[in-house]
Amino acid sequence: MSHEPRATRPVAFAVFSIIAGAIGWFASFELLTEYMKTLANPDYVPNCTVSVLVTCGPNMGSWQGSLFGFSNTIIGVSAFIAPIAVGVALLAGARFSAWFWRLYQLGLLGAFVFVCWLFSQSVFVLGTLCPWCMVVWSVTIPLWWITAFRPYAVGDVPLGAGAQRLFSRLYSWTWVIVLLCYVVFAFIAQMRLDWLSEFARA
């Protein structure tokens, strides 16, 4: 009888992936349903409309909101299934090949770049902050950075000892990088839109 030790399941990473994916999916679904309601009734006021600044109406109705010819919300509802599925599979004991992690990272990198672009369009072009969009941004940022470093740091993608130590150090600083991204986003939005004054008046 074999008594080889079973690989430790990455419970924390798996649970994080599930929760982040579920939050992103819910926010995307809310945006999609609100978008459909505005299509059915042009006078409908979306539930994310708080003020002239904090609203999703202009974003949904803009070309930026349908970059590929259909609502970006459809991308979110579809794409956020991936981290949920990855997290559930890891909890069940799945082990993915290196090619899978690289493909998954490529998808998350695309999501991160897309989020950065959408943020720039919201702040510098549309002049609004969409609450549900900000939820999507908030979960996409850590999903990307954590997954960018972790597979190399823990050996899921084999590297030389020196490279793995480097990624281990980077991985230990992940939350600092994530926090820095949040601060940069908030600072740019404040300089451009003065959102703190908006919330103070609310």
Side-chain angles (χ1 to χ4, degrees), residues 27-37 71 73-74 77:
S28 299
F29 180 76
E30 280 293 312
L31 276 170
L32 178 59
T33 56
E34 292 302 297
Y35 177 66
M36 294 174 65
K37 290 175 183 178
S71 175
T73 59
I74 297 175
V77 169

Side-chain angles (χ1 to χ4, degrees), residues 126-177:
L126 300 172
T128 62
L129 292 172
C130 167
W132 291 121
C133 292
M134 289 190 286
V135 173
V136 171
W137 303 343
S138 297
V139 296
T140 301
I141 291 171
L143 272 171
W144 155 243
W145 284 115
I146 291 174
T147 311
F149 298 137
R150 186 188 175 279
Y152 304 104
V154 302
D156 286 338
V157 177
L159 296 172
Q164 186 171 350
R165 283 195 297 272
L166 173 61
F167 275 98
S168 295
R169 294 192 188 97
L170 291 172
Y171 185 47
S172 68
W173 285 87
T174 299
W175 286 108
V176 177
I177 298 173

Side-chain angles (χ1 to χ4, degrees), residues 97-116:
S97 299
W99 67 263
F100 174 86
W101 285 114
R102 292 191 179 102
L103 187 63
Y104 184 47
Q105 288 173 324
L106 183 62
L108 288 175
L109 175 60
F112 176 72
V113 171
F114 194 35
V115 158
C116 290

Side-chain angles (χ1 to χ4, degrees), residues 112 116 119 141-142 144-145 175-187:
F112 176 72
C116 290
F119 169 77
I141 291 171
W144 155 243
W145 284 115
W175 286 108
V176 177
I177 298 173
V178 170
L179 180 59
L180 181 61
C181 284
Y182 289 156
V183 170
V184 170
F185 272 41
F187 177 78

Side-chain angles (χ1 to χ4, degrees), residues 1-8 95:
M1 180 181 295
S2 173
H3 294 283
E4 293 181 3
R6 297 180 62 186
T8 302
R95 291 178 62 84

